[in-house]
Amino acid sequence: MKKLGAILMAALMLVGIVACTAKPADKPAEEPADTTVAQGKVFNIYAWNEEFKGFFEKYYTVPEGVTVNWIITPSDNGAYQQKLDEALLNQANASDDDKIDLFLAEADYIGKYVDSDYTMDISKIGFTNADTMYEYTIKAASDVNGVCKGVSFQCCPAAVIYRKSIAKDVLGTDDPAEVQAAIDSWEKFDAVAAQAKEKGYYMTASFAETFRAFSNNCTMPWVDANDNLQFDPQITKWIEQTDKYIKNGYTLTAGVWDAEKTNQMFAEGKTMCFFGPAWYYNFSMTNAMDPEKGCVGDWCIVKGPQAYFWGGTWLLAATGSDNTEMLKDIFETFTKNEDVCTKLVENEGQYPNNTKVAEKFANDPNWGNTMILDGQNDTAIFAELAKDIKWENHTNYDQILNEGLQNKLQEYFNGSIDYETAMNNFYQLIKETYPNIKLPAA
Amino acid sequence: MEKIQTGTGKKLKSVSYAKWGYIFIAPFFIAYIIFTLVPQLLTIYNSFFETYRIGLQQVGPNFVGLDNYIALFQPDANGTILILKYALNTMILWIAGAVPQFVIAMLLALFFTSTRLNIKGQSFFKTVIYMPNLIMAAAFSMLFYTLFSRVGPIQALLENWGVIDHTFDFFAIRVSVRGMIALMNFLMWFGNTTIVLMAGIMGIDQSLFESATIDGANSVQVFFKVTMPLLMPIFVYCLITAMIGGIQMFDVPQVLSKGDGVPNGTTRTLVMYLNGYLKTKNLGMSGAISVIMFVITGGLGAIVYKMLSAPYKDQNRKHRERKGNVL
């Protein structure tokens, strides 16, 4: 009896401790006057950086009485997805105010969420896809049955952004048309790299700079229907090219996001070409825009050797959201609202997911990017490239495979290990992460 | 009313306060069972299953017996058994940090407790040497990463002096990354060890030191014949806790090598390996690693304890025997 009493009391104490940390469940069931479905008061957004948050706060007016909660987890080492996955798996049990309403996903892993029941059909909340949206952005956000689960606020055709002064020194010209003619195939690009090297420049500043230009042109997915890993010829070509570039000193051993690379964007940098889409300006080129050490206006953009696209952020509607009207409203604002899309181009240097707005800028002789470029109409270049973007050969494993390959090969490229060891490390990473993927026989 | 009637008489005679003891220790035991013992048992249980996630889709759990353990000891294409490699890494990293940690801590503890030296401003020094322990390991590690990175100040300084050229990379060299990790662990933990050892030394009767000195023992003899044997229980405690911490080494190498254990996995520890499997919630494989680590920790703990305390116990026994003979 005594023992039982002791245990009971102790259990009570423990319950007390635990209960103190839990939130009191006082959710008033209020009835808004003008809507048919009760809408929540808290809007939760999961994201991995502040990029969209900035646009959201500037261009979207949050309905009165709604608090927006940003849950931002960096994507390093897959942390963002781990946190998001836990929250989604718990979505059914979470209280309405704790449920995810909207979350952001990137091209490399959007399929994982779109093909699940954790995202909802946005036509059910009253959003219809507009003709002005780029086809591939809709396809990427649609599941295998073609049900669309979200939208993207950007379209990400990517190109080559080059330093005019360096191009002038190396090629004798900084005119976009002539520069493009000089680098319109990989063979020519390599030849220019050799020229740049002679003059003491780097062609690119990261071993993985050209990765996306190759990987987004793959003709087969990383993993086939039977879970076999396969190397696309484009990936092999990238490895060969990079190997050559490192050995010849055409590029640096830094990763695409490393400071060593972005430092090359300062005026004193020695690198001629950078590969990126419109989001690259704001996200990666802040050094170039540095008021003291930067070099705004010394940049131009051309298609480069191979058309491709890179990344892109999609906004996905989470199943169970109690703020469906606001969701629809956000989707409309960032895709259909021409005013907002115009501002995204004008003020933020983005390329919008709205063909009408994009065409308007592309055909405007007075429009030019002075935020970083020399006043060149980059929207016109992107508009041309955007027409050809196709969404194909993607798998849910893309992120771990694309980033894993780069990380593991970096050690080979910087000379610390041999190629076989690096590839073996890559296979080991796959084995550890997805035991179901069948690796090529050694 | 009824209760009072039935209970009186008997109870008054045997008032027991023991129940309060149980009540007061119960929260710990209950918390231990819920938050430690049950998860531990579940870990062992899970290690016999294939269970992981592909995206949001759960695979398993399927019972696979000892397959996870067998998979862990399977050599890779190069013939390396990864878990052994990572165990060796962990051991090297720990020993490289722990040896200076204990040597310096022991010296400092002796200096601070020495009545002959009588160092002034002791509390100041004690605070300072303990300070690095207050910094979050991840932050400390980040600091080192920033200092030694390709664009960091140390690289720039050494390049200016002409010691290295710009292709040099601290993180591509095994010795330098391991050295940094060992140095950080040493800096973070020597203060803590110093304070514990000092407490141990101060617990020894001062008259023993005095009499040893009067008998003509020099300081080295005093240390080995008086201080060390009497400090042994505390020393063993320090060593075993440090070793358990060392086997679980994670945050410093994880942050420093961006989770990759550069170069070529030579700074990847067992827990980093385990953490790799947790990316896809692979509870089977990570459970198996946990169990192996548990066995290693237990085994090493027992060995250290036996090794270090055996001669000391032996001495005690002999001492008792001798006493008995005299009597």
Side-chain angles (χ1 to χ4, degrees):
Chain A
M1 260 322 273
K2 269 183 206 164
K3 269 184 199 160
L4 194 74
I7 290 166
L8 241 154
M9 273 189 70
L12 267 170
M13 282 161 73
L14 208 74
V15 165
I17 294 163
V18 174
C20 284
T21 57
K23 274 186 196 159
D26 58 335
K27 198 167 45 58
E30 88 275 24
E31 294 284 330
D34 52 349
T35 49
T36 41
V37 191
Q39 296 287 299
K41 289 279 168 218
V42 180
F43 194 83
N44 293 311
I45 306 177
Y46 276 62
W48 67 88
N49 64 33
E50 306 264 341
E51 188 192 27
F52 180 65
K53 189 181 175 189
F55 302 150
F56 183 89
E57 282 169 354
K58 271 192 222 169
Y59 305 117
Y60 181 74
T61 328
V62 178
E64 218 166 288
V66 176
T67 322
V68 176
N69 250 341
W70 288 89
I71 297 99
I72 292 176
T73 317
S75 46
D76 298 347
N77 264 310
Y80 170 64
Q81 287 183 66
Q82 277 179 34
K83 176 136 184 178
L84 177 62
D85 292 357
E86 285 317 307
L88 285 173
L89 292 169
N90 190 38
Q91 179 87 333
N93 305 324
S95 75
D96 283 355
D97 282 352
D98 289 334
K99 277 192 167 82
I100 306 173
D101 294 292
L102 178 71
F103 64 90
L104 274 53
E106 227 181 349
D108 266 356
Y109 54 80
I110 183 173
K112 165 179 164 186
Y113 298 102
V114 166
D115 289 329
S116 77
D117 294 332
Y118 296 99
T119 44
M120 66 177 161
D121 183 355
I122 53 172
S123 68
K124 295 247 170 74
I125 61 169
F127 182 88
T128 43
N129 287 316
D131 299 341
T132 50
M133 287 162 66
Y134 283 95
E135 195 55 42
Y136 94 95
T137 65
I138 298 171
K139 204 175 163 198
S142 302
D143 67 9
V144 278
N145 304 317
V147 176
C148 189
K149 307 286 192 72
V151 302
S152 176
F153 63 93
Q154 54 188 187
C155 173
C156 302
V160 174
I161 304 161
Y162 68 90
R163 276 285 288 280
K164 285 174 67 182
S165 51
I166 297 177
K168 186 114 192 164
D169 198 12
V170 173
L171 298 167
T173 176
D174 59 5
D175 178 66
E178 288 176 44
V179 171
Q180 171 59 21
I183 58 165
D184 63 2
S185 72
W186 285 118
E187 287 73 33
K188 285 187 182 176
F189 192 80
D190 294 351
V192 175
Q195 276 173 266
K197 164 79 183 171
E198 267 172 42
K199 295 258 182 185
Y201 298 108
Y202 296 110
M203 192 60 173
T204 55
S206 157
F207 75 97
E209 191 71 19
T210 56
F211 180 79
R212 298 286 170 169
F214 287 103
S215 74
N216 267 318
N217 281 302
C218 283
T219 48
M220 54 189 189
W222 262 118
V223 177
D224 73 6
N226 297 320
D227 284 353
N228 289 307
L229 183 78
Q230 42 189 14
F231 274 87
D232 191 276
Q234 290 282 342
I235 301 287
T236 326
K237 256 173 98 177
W238 170 72
I239 297 173
E240 282 164 13
Q241 191 208 41
T242 310
D243 206 14
K244 191 166 76 193
Y245 274 41
I246 293 282
K247 285 195 176 117
N248 294 341
Y250 298 166
T251 190
L252 297 169
T253 53
V256 257
W257 311 113
D258 290 354
E260 192 190 357
K261 172 199 152 173
T262 50
N263 282 355
Q264 285 290 322
M265 293 172 186
F266 286 126
E268 57 172 36
K270 290 267 169 229
T271 302
M272 180 164 150
C273 300
F274 292 90
F275 281 67
W279 56 254
Y280 198 72
Y281 302 142
N282 269 332
F283 195 72
S284 293
M285 297 190 77
T286 42
N287 281 352
M289 293 189 258
D290 190 278
E292 276 162 28
K293 293 157 77 187
C295 44
V296 171
D298 194 23
W299 300 90
C300 265
I301 189 163
V302 290
K303 183 186 162 194
Q306 192 166 8
Y308 67 106
F309 78 97
W310 181 7
T313 301
W314 276 261
L315 316 173
L316 298 176
T319 306
S321 164
D322 60 337
N323 297 69
T324 50
E325 309 227 333
M326 190 168 154
L327 266 176
K328 180 190 160 198
D329 210 24
I330 293 170
F331 291 162
E332 306 237 320
T333 306
F334 287 96
T335 56
K336 294 180 184 169
N337 186 327
E338 287 174 22
D339 240 26
V340 171
C341 289
T342 302
K343 281 180 188 148
L344 282 177
V345 181
E346 272 177 353
N347 307 340
E348 315 293 344
Q350 294 285 313
Y351 185 84
N353 189 8
N354 186 316
T355 48
K356 209 173 149 193
V357 173
E359 290 298 327
K360 184 179 83 189
F361 281 102
N363 297 324
D364 181 354
N366 296 322
W367 166 246
N369 180 323
T370 50
M371 185 178 89
I372 179 156
L373 304 183
D374 67 343
Q376 188 192 8
N377 187 338
D378 56 341
T379 317
I381 305 250
F382 286 134
E384 259 324 288
L385 295 170
K387 286 176 187 159
D388 301 325
I389 302 179
K390 288 186 189 72
W391 183 266
E392 51 197 13
N393 300 322
H394 288 271
T395 70
N396 294 348
Y397 308 110
D398 286 359
Q399 190 188 34
I400 214 89
L401 297 174
N402 285 333
E403 287 177 8
L405 182 71
Q406 292 178 35
N407 282 342
K408 298 301 173 192
L409 279 179
Q410 185 170 19
E411 288 198 68
Y412 161 62
F413 290 133
N414 74 17
S416 38
I417 52 176
D418 62 18
Y419 180 72
E420 280 70 37
T421 314
M423 287 313 275
N424 186 36
N425 288 347
F426 175 55
Y427 294 148
Q428 203 53 49
L429 171 79
I430 300 173
K431 218 163 125 186
E432 233 173 82
T433 323
Y434 296 112
N436 57 311
I437 296 181
K438 298 184 195 86
L439 302 168
Chain B
M1 284 298 280
E2 271 173 304
K3 265 185 197 166
I4 296 165
Q5 280 174 352
T6 50
T8 46
K10 245 193 263 172
K11 268 207 171 153
L12 279 172
K13 274 174 202 163
S14 59
V15 178
S16 163
Y17 293 109
K19 69 173 176 186
W20 294 107
Y22 288 120
I23 289 171
F24 288 137
I25 61 168
F28 167 75
F29 279 97
I30 290 168
Y32 172 77
I33 289 166
I34 295 174
F35 296 111
T36 309
L37 190 65
V38 171
Q40 273 172 343
L41 295 175
L42 276 177
T43 304
I44 297 171
Y45 176 77
N46 274 323
S47 71
F48 299 113
F49 287 83
E50 176 193 52
T51 164
Y52 63 97
R53 275 193 216 140
I54 302 174
L56 288 161
Q57 178 204 336
Q58 176 69 32
V59 177
N62 307 314
F63 183 75
V64 291
L66 289 171
D67 279 8
N68 289 334
Y69 293 91
I70 294 166
L72 277 180
F73 286 96
Q74 213 96 67
D76 70 356
N78 288 351
T80 321
I81 297 170
L82 285 169
I83 191 163
L84 297 183
K85 176 181 168 179
Y86 299 143
L88 190 69
N89 286 343
T90 314
M91 212 159 87
I92 291 170
L93 290 174
W94 178 68
I95 290 174
V99 170
Q101 175 189 330
F102 276 89
V103 171
I104 302 281
M106 185 59 91
L107 278 175
L108 285 173
L110 288 173
F111 293 160
F112 283 143
T113 49
S114 161
T115 42
R116 259 198 260 165
L117 286 175
N118 198 14
I119 294 171
K120 290 202 174 73
Q122 273 205 27
S123 52
F124 170 74
F125 290 117
K126 274 186 246 169
T127 315
V128 170
I129 60 171
Y130 196 80
M131 212 61 109
N133 202 288
L134 300 179
I135 307 171
M136 220 190 334
F140 202 40
S141 199
M142 205 62 226
L143 175 79
F144 264 70
Y145 179 77
T146 319
L147 281 176
F148 286 91
S149 86
R150 294 286 306 269
V151 289
I154 294 191
Q155 173 103 13
L157 198 71
L158 292 178
E159 262 180 56
N160 272 344
W161 289 347
V163 182
I164 54 173
D165 71 345
H166 75 278
T167 54
F168 187 86
D169 187 351
F170 283 105
F171 292 92
I173 301 163
R174 191 172 65 184
V175 179
S176 85
V177 187
R178 281 184 175 170
M180 276 185 246
I181 294 168
L183 178 66
M184 268 185 274
N185 278 322
F186 157 67
L187 283 176
M188 282 179 64
W189 290 103
F190 84 98
N192 186 62
T193 313
T194 306
I195 285 169
V196 177
L197 289 179
M198 267 175 68
I201 295 173
M202 288 192 294
I204 300 170
D205 192 346
Q206 277 295 326
S207 59
L208 291 174
F209 296 122
E210 272 168 40
S211 47
T213 325
I214 292 164
D215 285 350
N218 61 29
S219 10
V220 177
Q221 283 171 322
V222 171
F223 174 70
F224 284 107
K225 305 277 181 191
V226 182
T227 318
M228 214 43 207
L230 291 168
L231 189 61
M232 212 32 117
I234 300 285
F235 188 79
V236 169
Y237 160 80
C238 264
L239 200 63
I240 290 178
T241 48
M243 196 183 65
I244 293 171
I247 291 171
Q248 296 174 352
M249 193 188 297
F250 173 68
D251 35 14
V252 169
Q254 171 84 8
V255 174
L256 194 72
S257 70
K258 288 190 170 172
D260 270 340
V262 290
N264 194 22
T266 49
T267 54
R268 203 170 190 214
T269 63
L270 283 169
V271 182
M272 283 166 77
Y273 186 39
L274 186 155
N275 191 53
Y277 279 111
L278 284 181
K279 256 185 219 163
T280 41
K281 280 272 167 320
N282 195 332
L283 300 180
M285 291 300 275
S286 50
I289 299 173
S290 301
V291 172
I292 289 169
M293 282 176 61
F294 180 71
V295 173
I296 295 175
T297 313
L300 284 179
I303 291 169
V304 170
Y305 183 78
K306 275 265 155 63
M307 257 172 42
L308 288 180
S309 51
Y312 163 62
K313 268 189 187 154
D314 220 37
Q315 248 176 17
N316 271 3
R317 203 182 57 232
K318 271 186 201 150
H319 191 66
R320 271 200 307 275
E321 276 166 10
R322 224 180 289 143
K323 251 189 190 169
N325 288 344
V326 172
L327 285 169

